[in-house]
Structures are given as C-alpha cells and as structure tokens.
C-alpha cells in the first residue's frame, strides 16, 4: 500500500514550524502536513502571560539536561526545550527582541550567510508583526504575531530605569528600533493580554484550510532518504508498534529546533560519519557540521530583598492569587497579565564592543524560574547574560535509539573571555540594584550576597547558580556549500541532499544579541519565500 502523501511535510510545530505551516498552505493547491511531537496548547497556563513561571518547571517540555559542564565545576544544568504545539513561543517569557543590526550583517559578512544581512531580514521581522504601538521603518502592523507593551507595569520598573540612568545607561523606548542600548520596557509577544504564540497567531486563524493537516503527538524518528533525496518521514507509533511512513512529494522541512533538528538528522544517518558509526547509526550522508557550533546565552542573576510587597511574590498567598484572578478576568490587568520579565535592556561589559554585549532581565519576584530559590519576603531578580559567547558546544546522540534524550553540551565558558564578560555583567546587575533610585524598593542584595566580591567568589557562585537563557542556536548553521562547518546553504537546503530543508533556530550561524524567538520567526518567514521560489 502506498504511504499517504503531501507536498510538504514540516517536522516540528514550534515557533518556526507554525509559521511555515501557515505560509506554505496559503496556496489551496498545495498539501501540507505539520507533525508535532508534543500535544495541544489547551491548558490555560499556555495562554495567560504569567503562566510562563510554571513553564520552566516542566509543563510542555522534553525534560532534557546538559551533560556535565566542564567549566562550571561539572554541573549538570536543566535545559528546557518545548514539546507542545507552538514550541518555545508557547512556553517562553514572551520577550520580543531581535538583536543588533550588526548581528545579521555578521551572519552575511563573516559567516557566508548571503542574503541574511540586516537590510534583507528586516522586511521579514516586519511581515510577521502586528505591533500594537509602532508602525515605522522598523515595525510592521497587521501581521499575524501580536507584539505589545506590558499592560500593568509596577512602580519598581520605573525606579529600575532611573537606577540605570544614575549609572549612565539611558532609557530606551524601543530595543528593536534605531538603537539597542539602554533600559526600558520590553515589547512582548502578547495580544489583548494573552500570549501570542505562533500556534495562536499563525495556526488558529487558518483552521478551516483543508489542505493543511496537523498531527499532534507525532514524533518523527527518521527522515526517509532515497538516492540522495528526502522522500518522507517515519513517525513513531504508540507503544512498540511499527513506525508509520509518510511521504513528501516536494520537500521535508525540519523545524524541530536547535536541539531537535540536529538530533533528527543524526538519527537519520546525516551528520559526522565518525560519531554516527560510534553510536551504531548507518551513515547515509557524511555532513560534519551537524550538531556542531552550539551556542547559548548563560544567565547569571542577583536577587535582592524588597522593602515591602513591591513585586509579584505576594501572589503566592491564596487570597492575593484569588484577587489577581478576578482582576484578570474582569479587567485583563494585574499580575496574571504580566510575563514577570517585562523590563530590562542592553548595555556593555566590554566598552569597546560594537553593540551591547550584556542583556538584563528584571524579574518581578524571586524564584520565578525552575532551580531558583524563592525568598521568604518579597524579592526582585536581575538577570544578566553575556550576549556574544565564543564558546561552542555540540548536540550528539547518546545511542542509536531515536527515543533517547540527546547529549547536549553547550560547553559554557570554554572560552575564558566569556566567563570574564559574564561576570562583568553580573557586577553590572548588582551595581544597578545598589543605585539610590531603587532604595525605596530594595532592602539589600541577598544573592550572591554582599560578602562575595572577588572574581573567584563570583565564579563559584556562578558555577552553582548559572542557568540557560534558553537560546540555543547554530547546530545546523547556514554557510557556503564548500565550508565543512555549514549544514545548509543560504536558501536553507541541506548541503549535498535534495528535498530537505531546515528552517529554525538551528540554522543561525551566530546567536543574535537578544532573545531568539523573534529571530526564529523571521527565519521561518524568509524560509517560506525560499521554498515557494520568491527568493533564490
Ligand atoms: C523556557 C523558555 C523561555 C524562553 N524565553 C524567551 C523569550 O522570552 N523571548 C524569546 O525571544 N525567546 C525565548 N526563548 C527562546 C525561543 O522561544 C526559541 O528560540 C524558539 O522558540 C525556537 O524556535 P524553534 O522553532 O527553533 O524551536 P521550538 O520552538 O523549540 O520548536 C521545535 C518543535 O519541534 C518539536 N519536535 C522536536 N523534535 C521533533 C520530532 N522528532 N518530531 C516531531 N516534533 C519534534 C518540538 O516538540 C517543538 O515543539 C525561550 C525558550 C524557552 C524554552
């Protein structure tokens, strides 16, 4: 019996996959199948902005961890990656940032990602956007993705901006506009006080399209290759049944994420031959760059105790939580409408850097994310991340079993410079919290704690507390076909194979100096134009 057939099969219904499902199925004559290993996004926590706090604690994720990190005293870090329709955009903190223009100019100039300069990617950022505040040279209005300003900011946010100004860091109303540096409110992927994931923004409005099928709980085990061409995929059956074979007439498109896409290539025999042989996967195509070049932002944080209930910590108590629920239901305001990380900004650890190299996220509470302790009294968190790490890690298979968790090695701080600048960022965060403007709100730093001052002490603190900022990229990087480090050419086709493309965070040759959801959506928007032939 012939396997069921579509024109395009998209593997992974995350930030990028949902965009492509929408853009490719706009032509009713084209049959598209979207396969997602996770389930539906029915749970209300996926849609309430504050639901993010629960997300890093397990809901809708694969439950992966890193391998022991050599430069972090061998620590194993939790490494949350989404497993639900909408992917990262369904569970993330909703911060909408794009990075610096120079990031994309470097993709093109230094990495050989021809056609991916800032000038060339800006139209795709704008095409995605339904910005609720801006309509100008940098922002679009009327696209699918809701982007808006925080609804109910707290007074401590304004004091944070003033503290920055006391240190010479200006206020910036738009990090995605003319300049990136400064402190201010983030714009968020929210619309009408609800999360705007790509599932909500790109899939919901097109539910009635008959040429688009979406299969949930459909984990792809292998890409099927015939004579150098991807012709379909094998999907896991429930229990130990035989996998189902599904065929693609035109292309298989991987959007399984920066960990999922290289993992799937490797388990299909596409990747570094030596590694494939070592784990017992038959080599189909030797492509050394697959799973290399892993980059991520490592987050360090300071937590201060507040002089009163100035953040959202008090909503852990039942009567406050009940009031927050009522406030949201009646007025669409209050803590439930907050992503808890709505303010922050960009500044310099290295004053000679070409654009800001530190990102700050002010967390309106303590213990917001998994693995970070909650304080007894109200607290405020200030995260700092060094944005342009030189360390490079890997994604590898632990075994030939496609259901096994991958070996994720971000190799944090393999380059000592990354550590120095990251610790510089942590010092900056502590300094901001000490400024006079924040004294009305901040009683004193509790973590790392005033006693820890030297680089060695802060290093030990960082080793025990650092966490991922959830921005892995680069494991199937764009580059010239002749460069052995490249996995896809600038049109996102897999080098040396036909009928196979990759269009997610894994293709970014360098991590943007920001959060990575908007850049991933941009990649998928542009990929759609490559696939339908509007771009070369
Ligand atoms: C907890 C968290 C917080 C974050 N906060 C922010 C933020 O505030 N702002 C921001 O800009 N970025 C944030 N990010 C990062 C951002 O969300 C990601 O960069 C982005 O979602 C990556 O999109 P993607 O399409 O590459 O992968 P994903 O969105 O991860 O999608 C991949 C999808 O593929 C599916 N999949 C994987 N393997 C298979 C398979 N074999 N078969 C079928 N399906 C498969 C997965 O289940 C997943 O749904 C955060 C990420 C996380 C995890």
């Amino acid at each position: 019996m012939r396997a069921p057939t579509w024109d395009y099969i998209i593997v992974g219904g995350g930030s990028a996959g949902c965009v492509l499902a929408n853009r490719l199925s706009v032509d009713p004559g084209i049959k598209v199948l979207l396969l997602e290993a996770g389930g539906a996004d029915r749970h209300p926590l996926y849609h309430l902005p504050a639901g993010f706090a629960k997300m890093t604690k397990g809901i809708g994720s694969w439950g992966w961890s890193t391998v022991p990190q050599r430069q972090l005293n061998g620590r194993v870090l939790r490494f949350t990656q989404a497993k639900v329709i909408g992917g990262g955009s369904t569970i993330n903190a909703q911060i909408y940032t794009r990075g610096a223009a120079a990031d994309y100019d470097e993709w093109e100039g230094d990495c050989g990602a021809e056609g991916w300069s800032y000038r060339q990617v800006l139209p795709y950022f704008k095409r995605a956007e339904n910005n609720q505040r801006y309509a100008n040279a940098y922002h679009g209005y009327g696209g699918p993705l809701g982007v808006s300003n925080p609804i109910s900011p707290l007074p401590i946010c304004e004091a944070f901006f003033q503290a920055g100004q006391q240190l010479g860091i200006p206020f910036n109303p738009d990090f995605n506009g003319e300049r990136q540096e400064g402190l201010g409110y983030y714009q968020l992927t929210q619309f009408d006080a609800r999360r705007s994931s790509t599932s909500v923004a790109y899939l919901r409005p097109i539910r009635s399209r008959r040429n688009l099928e979406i299969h949930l709980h459909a984990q792809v085990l292998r890409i099927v290759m015939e004579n150098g061409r991807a012709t379909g995929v094998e999907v896991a059956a429930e229990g130990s049944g035989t996998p189902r074979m599904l065929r693609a007439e035109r292309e298989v498109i991987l959007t399984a994420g920066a960990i999922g896409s290289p993992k799937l290539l490797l388990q299909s025999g596409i990747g570094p031959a030596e590694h494939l042989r070592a784990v017992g996967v038959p080599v189909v195509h030797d492509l050394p760059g697959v799973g290399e070049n892993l980059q991520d932002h490592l987050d360090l944080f300071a937590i201060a105790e507040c002089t009163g209930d100035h953040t959202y910590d008090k909503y852990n108590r039942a009567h406050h939580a009940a009031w927050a629920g009522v406030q949201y239901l009646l007025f669409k305001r209050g803590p439930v409408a907050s992503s808890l990380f709505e303010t922050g900004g960009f500044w310099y650890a290295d004053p000679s850097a070409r654009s800001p190299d530190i990102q700050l996220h002010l967390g309106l509470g303590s213990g917001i994310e998994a693995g970070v302790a909650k304080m007894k009294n109200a607290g405020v968190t200030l995260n700092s991340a060094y944005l342009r790490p030189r360390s490079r890690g890997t994604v590898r298979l632990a075994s030939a079993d496609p259901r096994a968790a991958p070996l994720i090695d971000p190799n944090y701080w393999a380059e000592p410079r990354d550590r120095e600048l990251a610790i510089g960022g942590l010092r900056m965060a502590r300094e901001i919290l000490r400024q006079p403007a924040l004294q009305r709100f901040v009683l004193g730093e509790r973590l790392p704690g005033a006693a820890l001052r030297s680089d060695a002490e802060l290093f030990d603190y960082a080793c025990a507390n650092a966490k991922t900022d959830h921005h892995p990229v680069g494991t199937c990087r764009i580059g010239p076909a002749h460069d052995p480090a490249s996995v896809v050419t600038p049109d996102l086709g897999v080098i040396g194979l036909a009928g196979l493309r990759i269009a997610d965070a894994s293709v970014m040759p360098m991590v943007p100096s920001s959060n990575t959801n908007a850049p991933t959506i941009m990649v998928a928007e542009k990929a759609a134009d490559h696939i339908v032939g509007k771009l070369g």
Side-chain angles (χ1 to χ4, degrees):
M1 199 178 74
R2 194 172 146 76
T5 302
W6 289 262
D7 290 298
Y8 296 108
I9 296 182
I10 303 168
V11 182
S15 295
C18 297
V19 174
L20 277 160
N22 177 314
R23 297 303 187 195
L24 296 180
S25 64
V26 79
D27 175 349
I30 297 286
K31 281 176 67 184
V32 178
L33 173 64
L34 176 63
L35 297 171
E36 167 53 42
D41 55 354
R42 270 190 225 106
H43 197 293
L45 284 178
Y46 290 127
H47 303 284
L48 304 176
F52 157 74
K54 305 277 181 231
M55 302 301 182
T56 55
K57 296 168 187 162
I59 181 179
S61 97
W62 289 85
W64 291 331
S65 305
T66 67
V67 301
Q69 292 300 283
R70 280 178 298 278
Q71 311 301 331
L72 295 177
N73 290 341
R75 201 168 129 233
V76 169
L77 279 69
R78 184 193 290 254
F79 205 84
T80 301
Q81 287 290 284
K83 187 181 182 187
V84 59
I85 193 74
S89 71
T90 299
I91 68 165
N92 69 20
Q94 302 142 70
I95 296 165
Y96 180 85
T97 56
R98 300 170 177 176
D103 294 335
Y104 301 97
D105 291 341
E106 257 175 36
W107 284 16
E108 178 166 71
D110 297 357
C111 310
E114 207 180 312
W116 292 84
S117 69
Y118 181 65
R119 183 184 58 78
Q120 288 156 303
V121 302
L122 181 59
Y124 293 101
F125 280 113
K126 291 173 71 176
R127 177 165 101 179
E129 239 182 325
N130 186 13
N131 202 302
Q132 300 300 290
R133 170 159 293 178
Y134 299 110
N136 57 27
Y138 302 98
H139 292 286
Y141 178 78
L145 187 71
V147 178
S148 56
N149 273 58
I151 291 172
S152 309
L154 295 176
I156 193 171
C157 299
E158 302 283 339
F160 166 66
F161 307 149
Q162 290 170 326
Q165 289 161 51
Q166 288 171 333
L167 276 175
I169 308 176
F171 178 74
N172 185 344
D174 180 13
F175 302 122
N176 304 307
E178 207 168 318
R179 58 189 177 85
Q180 198 194 19
E181 63 254 338
L183 303 186
Y185 291 110
Y186 286 121
Q187 285 210 293
L188 305 163
T189 43
Q190 292 175 8
F191 185 79
D192 201 16
R194 287 172 75 82
R195 175 190 290 274
S196 184
S197 65
T198 55
S199 160
V200 169
Y202 283 84
L203 293 185
R204 281 203 182 170
I206 58 159
R207 269 191 196 141
S208 58
R209 283 187 196 164
R210 293 190 165 184
N211 58 327
L212 171 64
E213 271 183 63
I214 302 169
H215 295 185
L216 300 177
H217 305 290
Q219 182 174 351
V220 173
L221 302 179
R222 208 167 63 86
I223 304 158
V224 179
M225 301 296 305
E226 290 168 20
N227 303 320
R229 178 174 195 89
T231 55
V233 295
E234 272 181 18
V235 177
E238 279 190 21
S240 54
T242 318
R244 280 179 300 146
M245 161 81 186
L246 309 174
R247 289 187 73 87
E249 289 284 348
R250 297 189 185 204
E251 289 188 18
V252 173
I253 303 158
L254 301 194
T255 48
I259 309 300
S261 287
K263 178 177 185 291
L264 183 54
L265 287 171
L266 293 172
Q267 60 207 33
S268 309
I270 302 166
E274 209 175 304
H275 169 61
L276 296 174
R277 284 192 203 104
V279 288
V281 174
V283 179
V284 172
H285 180 54
D286 180 13
L287 198 53
V290 174
E292 292 285 323
N293 192 45
L294 173 61
Q295 299 161 54
D296 188 23
H297 292 144
L298 185 69
D299 204 71
L300 304 183
F301 53 85
I303 301 187
E305 187 175 340
C306 291
T307 53
D309 279 337
H310 303 305
T311 57
Y312 289 134
D313 276 343
K314 69 177 176 190
Y315 291 96
N316 285 323
R317 284 170 247 147
H319 63 289
H320 285 299
W323 167 236
V326 171
Q327 224 183 339
Y328 183 76
L329 286 174
L330 293 181
F331 313 115
K332 289 190 176 165
R333 301 191 82 78
V336 181
S338 164
S339 88
L340 311 181
F341 283 101
E342 305 178 325
T343 39
F346 299 87
W347 198 241
Y348 299 86
D350 172 1
S352 67
R354 47 94 160 144
S355 59
D357 56 3
I358 294 291
Q359 181 170 10
L360 298 158
H361 294 98
L362 187 74
L364 297 174
S366 61
I368 298 173
E369 292 183 73
V372 182
K374 193 162 226 43
M375 293 191 335
K376 192 161 159 277
N377 298 326
V380 63
T381 306
L382 189 50
N383 290 350
S384 71
Y386 174 57
L387 290 171
R388 285 194 290 284
R390 292 182 183 169
S391 307
R392 298 289 181 266
T394 52
V395 174
R396 292 282 181 254
L397 297 181
S399 77
D401 176 3
R403 289 180 179 84
L407 302 176
I408 304 170
D409 183 5
N411 204 13
Y412 295 120
W413 291 0
E415 292 285 335
R417 188 173 183 276
D418 296 350
R419 185 186 66 220
E420 278 159 37
L421 292 167
I423 289 181
L426 176 61
R427 287 188 187 284
M428 184 190 303
R430 302 173 85 187
E431 184 87 24
I432 293 173
L433 289 172
R434 279 200 294 267
Q435 291 307 299
L438 272 167
Q439 295 317 298
R440 283 173 291 147
F441 299 94
V442 169
L443 200 58
E445 180 188 302
R446 296 293 173 260
L447 276 175
L452 303 191
R453 291 211 198 110
S454 69
D455 277 356
E457 287 166 335
L458 293 180
F459 171 70
D460 284 343
Y461 166 77
C463 287
N465 293 285
K467 58 176 202 54
T468 172
D469 235 349
H470 315 292
H471 298 159
V473 308
T475 46
C476 301
R477 58 158 288 188
I478 310 174
H482 60 77
D483 181 346
S486 313
V487 174
V488 294
T489 43
D491 64 356
L492 306 182
V494 174
I495 293 167
L497 297 174
L500 185 60
R501 257 184 246 249
I502 311 176
D504 57 21
S506 71
V507 304
M508 299 178 193
M510 282 204 291
V511 63
S513 313
S514 67
N515 315 81
T516 44
N517 188 42
T520 305
I521 291 170
M522 173 279 287
V523 165
E525 286 279 5
K526 188 164 183 286
D529 278 5
H530 284 289
I531 294 166
V532 302
K534 283 192 193 155
L535 289 171

